[in-house]
Amino acid sequence: MVAVAVAVTFAGASSAQAQVQNVSLGYQYQHASEGGGGLNMPGGFYVDVAGKLGSVPNFDWVGNVDYSHGSDSGIGFNASTYLGGARYFFKTSNMKAAPYGQFLLGAAHFGDDTDFAIDLGAGLDWMVNPKYSVRAGLDYRRVFAEGE
């Protein structure tokens, strides 16, 4: 499954000692392929939350939930995932654009099935101002269906 997302990221801190927390939400397009065929799911969105992973520089923990909808031959279908993992930003403090890579694990739900999923992603956060960024990303998601 390939997911393409464009989002707006919000950053803020709840206290002087708290690490910066990010919330990202946006549009998502997914394409699921199996056995040479494929399903397009153009109607989708995602939400993720992220925060600093201890004192490790440039690493964040990430929690992600997404939903996509599509149809094939007049039959509608939905897919959703629930993932968590780590994101690494390739940045310095004075960069306006910050590329990132991420690795997430979790569950994918499609139809009546829920299966284990791995997600590898990369993207770019472009800082609009100190509080808001725009994110574009591309993910490859592998869903391990029963029997695989």
Side-chain angles (χ1 to χ4, degrees):
M1 210 178 291
V2 175
V4 178
V6 177
V8 176
T9 302
F10 309 94
S14 58
S15 73
Q17 293 180 344
Q19 296 292 337
V20 173
Q21 302 293 307
N22 294 299
V23 176
S24 175
L25 53 105
Y27 170 77
Q28 175 174 277
Y29 172 92
Q30 288 195 64
H31 175 79
S33 60
E34 180 180 7
L39 300 171
N40 291 315
M41 294 176 273
F45 69 90
Y46 83 93
V47 176
D48 75 30
V49 293
K52 292 295 169 201
L53 193 58
S55 61
V56 181
N58 297 349
F59 266 104
D60 286 356
W61 58 262
V62 180
N64 175 285
V65 175
D66 67 48
Y67 171 84
S68 293
H69 175 78
S71 63
D72 186 32
S73 303
I75 299 171
F77 50 87
N78 304 310
S80 56
T81 61
Y82 312 92
L83 304 165
R87 178 180 295 148
Y88 181 80
F89 283 97
F90 301 91
K91 67 178 180 178
T92 61
S93 60
N94 60 354
M95 290 177 64
K96 192 163 182 118
Y100 70 87
Q102 67 183 20
F103 177 74
L104 308 175
L105 302 170
H109 183 76
F110 188 84
D112 294 331
D113 297 325
T114 301
D115 299 300
F116 178 69
I118 295 174
D119 184 286
L120 297 171
L124 183 73
D125 280 3
W126 181 265
M127 187 181 297
V128 177
N129 63 42
K131 194 169 184 174
Y132 298 102
S133 298
V134 175
R135 172 175 294 155
L138 180 66
D139 290 65
Y140 171 77
R141 185 171 298 144
R142 173 72 166 98
V143 177
F144 295 89
E146 189 174 327
E148 290 187 76

